[in-house]
Amino acid sequence: MVKTLLTVLSLVILVGVINCGCINDKLKEPTFTVDSIDFKGVDSDTTNLSIRLIIDNPNPIGVHVNKIVFDIYCIDNNGNSKYLGHGEKNNIDIRSGKTTIDIPITLSNKELIEALEKNKNNKITLEIDGSANVDLKITSVNVPFKTRQTVQLPEGVVSYLETAKKMGIGFSIEDFKNQK
């Protein structure tokens, strides 16, 4: 009898809270900003970086994200996108307000060099297109996100890529035949 009374009382309180608008407000979508790009290493075909994302959650509650996955594209001056690489990270707690996370990524040297040749001052416009799998305890939902930002590549990465191109590392003979 006591359990039944507590259950009914809990439901009445829950309905009251929902009706007063305390929970009924629409949740706002978090924003994603690239804070920095850290150089981690370069080999013959790829550049390894760590992208620091700042996730600004305007909602009063945080969430647990099972996995964030995204693809990175370079946007040229005509608005065309070119695939550069992929990133992902598992088990992230995003609190209310700003949360900073570092995500390791691997980019194609060939694509990165081509992107740099089309842009000046070692700046490229990146588009990050992905989704976050948010844990809702009972189920989970995929929340898509897309952000575009112009970033400055570290000088060490640019120098290495220029040297790699001169030496032909990461390129095939067909790549050089197709150049104008």
Side-chain angles (χ1 to χ4, degrees):
M1 178 70 173
V2 173
K3 281 187 175 182
T4 305
L5 185 56
L6 286 175
T7 303
V8 170
L9 184 57
S10 297
L11 286 173
V12 169
I13 291 171
L14 180 62
V15 170
V17 168
I18 290 172
N19 285 336
C20 80
C22 296
I23 296 179
N24 209 14
D25 291 335
K26 185 176 181 183
L27 294 177
K28 297 176 185 161
E29 188 173 322
T31 58
F32 296 79
T33 306
V34 176
D35 180 54
S36 64
I37 298 176
D38 294 322
F39 172 68
K40 296 297 181 188
V42 178
D43 61 32
S44 61
D45 296 325
T46 59
T47 296
N48 299 307
L49 304 169
S50 179
I51 289 189
R52 177 163 285 170
L53 285 180
I54 296 177
I55 302 167
D56 189 2
N57 178 9
N59 301 301
I61 56 171
V63 295
H64 178 76
V65 176
N66 295 324
K67 188 175 195 176
I68 290 179
V69 295
F70 57 88
D71 290 326
I72 300 173
Y73 301 89
C74 177
I75 308 300
D76 68 16
N77 295 332
N78 298 323
N80 300 318
S81 63
K82 183 145 190 133
Y83 178 80
L84 290 180
H86 179 78
E88 60 183 68
K89 185 153 181 133
N90 296 322
N91 297 319
I92 306 159
D93 288 315
I94 298 174
R95 60 185 179 275
S96 179
K98 293 185 179 182
T99 302
T100 303
I101 59 171
D102 294 315
I103 301 177
I105 60 168
T106 300
L107 303 178
S108 161
N109 284 348
K110 178 182 168 188
E111 304 302 334
L112 199 51
I113 289 169
E114 290 174 2
L116 282 171
E117 288 177 343
K118 296 177 183 175
N119 296 283
K120 301 297 179 209
N121 302 324
N122 302 335
K123 290 184 179 181
I124 59 174
T125 300
L126 297 178
E127 182 173 87
I128 298 175
D129 187 7
S131 66
N133 182 267
V134 179
D135 184 0
L136 300 176
K137 302 296 179 204
I138 299 172
T139 187
S140 63
V141 295
N142 282 324
V143 178
F145 64 87
K146 187 181 255 187
T147 185
R148 188 179 283 196
Q149 189 169 344
T150 300
V151 296
Q152 178 86 34
L153 283 179
E155 186 57 42
V157 173
V158 175
S159 295
Y160 179 86
L161 293 173
E162 288 172 352
T163 302
K165 179 167 185 192
K166 288 176 188 171
M167 296 174 63
I169 297 172
F171 290 85
S172 70
I173 193 68
E174 293 302 315
D175 294 322
F176 290 102
K177 286 181 181 177
N178 293 331
Q179 289 183 356
K180 295 179 183 176

